[in-house]
Amino acid sequence: MNDDHLCNKLKILFEHLFPTLTIIGGVDEPYYEAPRADTNAKIFFKENYPRSLLHEIAHYCLAGQKRRKLDDYGYWYTECGRTSEEQELFQLVEARPQGLEKAMCEAIGIHFSPSFDDFSGRPISEMFLKNLEVNYQEMITNPPPTARIALETLMHTDFSTLRDN
């Protein structure tokens, strides 16, 4: 199964699991749009890249009801060119959703690698990797309720044809 098919399968699966959510691929930058009046919340993920979809679903699963009412869950995002302090804060916020993303990747048998979203040439933060691993362990042993639902669904869905990715 190629990435297009996998993204489509994941999209259908998550939209069924979370019926107030619409998932849209093929964008340049991922984004969460909070629900409006009589419209669903929307997750936009990068191109047809399964890891982008899983990463955005991880954010959704970990956001509480209040944050789901805010575009991009009320978080800031600074593109490349962050200061060291901004990058440190980014990594602090990203460790938890990437811990869940890693568990999701494992559940469906695709490769996970941390995303530092930093092309400055600074070395990878060992603290970020440690925090990511702590959060991954939480997600596989005692995930929050919505994350548990997503993980259990992924684990009980046949993704056996994807093992070669």
Side-chain angles (χ1 to χ4, degrees), residues 4-164:
D4 289 334
H5 291 114
L6 175 55
C7 286
N8 190 51
K9 188 169 186 173
L10 290 169
K11 178 184 177 311
I12 292 166
L13 182 83
F14 286 123
E15 285 181 340
H16 177 74
L17 197 59
F18 306 118
T20 60
L21 184 64
T22 300
I23 302 170
I24 302 163
V27 301
D28 291 334
E29 286 299 322
Y31 186 73
Y32 172 77
E33 182 179 306
R36 309 272 194 265
D38 293 329
T39 64
N40 282 350
K42 295 176 186 156
I43 285 180
F44 297 89
F45 68 97
K46 190 165 179 69
E47 298 165 3
N48 279 337
Y49 188 47
R51 288 263 324 277
S52 176
L53 192 159
L54 291 176
H55 182 80
E56 296 310 311
I57 288 291
H59 276 290
Y60 180 84
C61 288
L62 296 174
Q65 291 301 322
K66 287 182 183 179
R67 286 217 179 259
R68 286 191 195 141
K69 293 178 183 176
L70 304 170
D71 287 341
D72 248 0
Y73 312 105
Y75 290 115
W76 57 269
Y77 179 76
T78 304
E79 294 183 20
C80 288
R82 294 184 195 114
T83 66
S84 293
E85 294 77 23
E86 288 171 330
Q87 183 63 22
E88 192 173 302
L89 182 58
F90 172 82
Q91 291 177 3
L92 183 65
V93 171
E94 276 293 302
R96 194 156 195 244
Q98 287 195 39
L100 178 54
E101 178 189 349
K102 181 178 178 179
M104 289 179 177
C105 286
E106 186 176 88
I108 66 171
I110 64 173
H111 177 73
F112 171 82
S113 59
S115 174
F116 303 101
D117 200 34
D118 181 12
F119 304 103
S120 69
R122 287 185 285 244
I124 295 170
S125 165
E126 291 299 320
M127 183 58 76
F128 174 70
L129 294 174
K130 181 180 176 184
N131 288 339
L132 191 155
E133 186 60 28
V134 166
N135 283 283
Y136 165 72
Q137 292 299 321
E138 174 196 359
M139 296 306 154
I140 62 173
T141 59
N142 190 29
T146 306
R148 179 181 306 279
I149 291 166
L151 280 170
E152 287 178 357
T153 300
L154 289 174
M155 287 188 277
H156 292 99
T157 301
D158 182 13
F159 288 97
S160 61
T161 59
L162 307 176
R163 301 293 182 215
D164 60 339

